[in-house]
Amino acid sequence: MEIKRFLAMLCLYIGMTISCMGQTKIEKAECDTANYNLTMVLSCPQTKDILYRATKEWLATHIQNFQQKLQYDDKETGTIKFKNSSYIHATKSFPQRPTIDMTGNIDYMVTVTIKDGKYRVKTEDAIVNWNEYFYFNGTKQSNGRKSLELLGFILWSDRDKNILKSYMDDFSKICDGIEIQAKELEEDDF
């Protein structure tokens, strides 16, 4: 129950951040706690063309190796789909056992759908890939590379809130970035 409350607070935080930015309004904000799929629908006064161009420019500038991560791009339907990742670092402690140190990424698919006056950003299929190490007698030893769906990882790693915060922060940066870039493009066109 605590994790659901944390997610609700984080969604509210993201919403407040975006709504404070200006004319953009949040129409819908969801977090599917069964799979940790995030969805946000935002309305804004810009046209589909400006929003599409703003999305492409912001993603190309702020997502490292965006062209290699791009899976689908259709200006006609206003859909851009790409793979993204968020960095993670977590630890898991056991009573009377070595601490496990985990470093890796949450890899997920992002779909941006654009229409006149609104856009939707959705994440899905989040998988955590990490290298696992444990400390034994003062030395760091590898325990191999692991992979789990995000929900499984959260449950296994004692519901580490920092992992979800990193994932949701990256999601909110995409939502915010599109809106900021669209405003800049609209101002430049005049």
Side-chain angles (χ1 to χ4, degrees):
M1 192 65 161
E2 180 182 326
I3 201 77
K4 287 183 181 180
R5 190 177 355 212
F6 172 75
L7 289 173
M9 293 299 290
L10 209 47
C11 279
L12 180 63
Y13 162 75
I14 291 168
M16 287 174 50
T17 301
I18 292 171
S19 64
C20 290
M21 299 185 87
Q23 299 173 354
T24 300
K25 293 183 181 129
I26 298 172
E27 290 188 8
K28 178 179 171 183
E30 287 183 353
C31 177
D32 171 10
T33 54
N35 299 310
Y36 290 100
N37 295 334
L38 306 173
T39 303
M40 187 151 324
V41 178
L42 299 117
S43 64
C44 53
Q46 288 84 5
T47 65
K48 179 180 176 181
D49 289 337
I50 288 177
L51 287 171
Y52 179 83
R53 189 171 139 210
T55 302
K56 289 285 293 219
E57 286 182 14
W58 190 88
L59 294 172
T61 305
H62 293 87
I63 303 294
Q64 189 174 11
N65 300 320
F66 174 69
Q67 289 302 326
Q68 288 83 9
K69 295 177 179 182
L70 187 62
Q71 302 289 307
Y72 182 78
D73 182 7
D74 185 5
K75 185 176 182 177
E76 193 67 33
T77 62
T79 304
I80 301 168
K81 197 171 195 175
F82 63 98
K83 288 187 176 190
N84 199 22
S85 61
S86 300
Y87 174 77
I88 64 157
H89 180 256
T91 57
K92 181 163 176 70
S93 299
F94 299 97
Q96 302 172 351
R97 290 194 179 158
T99 298
I100 296 176
D101 186 36
M102 300 166 285
T103 306
N105 291 308
I106 303 171
D107 299 316
Y108 51 95
M109 189 65 69
V110 178
T111 305
V112 181
T113 309
I114 303 160
K115 295 181 179 179
D116 276 338
K118 67 171 64 174
Y119 61 98
R120 178 182 69 199
V121 181
K122 182 178 182 178
T123 65
E124 53 195 344
D125 304 329
I127 302 287
V128 182
N129 298 297
W130 75 96
N131 291 315
E132 193 172 279
Y133 301 94
F134 64 94
Y135 294 90
F136 185 73
N137 290 336
T139 60
K140 185 176 182 179
Q141 298 185 14
S142 177
N143 200 20
R145 185 147 179 83
K146 311 282 180 172
S147 184
L148 268 178
E149 290 181 353
L150 182 57
L151 176 62
F153 182 81
I154 298 297
L155 294 174
W156 183 82
S157 66
D158 295 328
R159 301 180 183 264
D160 191 334
K161 292 178 187 146
N162 290 327
I163 302 301
L164 288 175
K165 187 173 183 316
S166 172
Y167 174 58
M168 293 181 93
D169 280 349
D170 286 352
F171 172 75
S172 68
K173 284 177 191 173
I174 294 169
C175 295
D176 289 346
I178 293 168
E179 190 235 349
I180 291 168
Q181 190 72 31
K183 280 184 181 177
E184 288 176 9
L185 285 176
E186 192 173 55
E187 289 172 8
D188 287 347
D189 286 348
F190 288 112

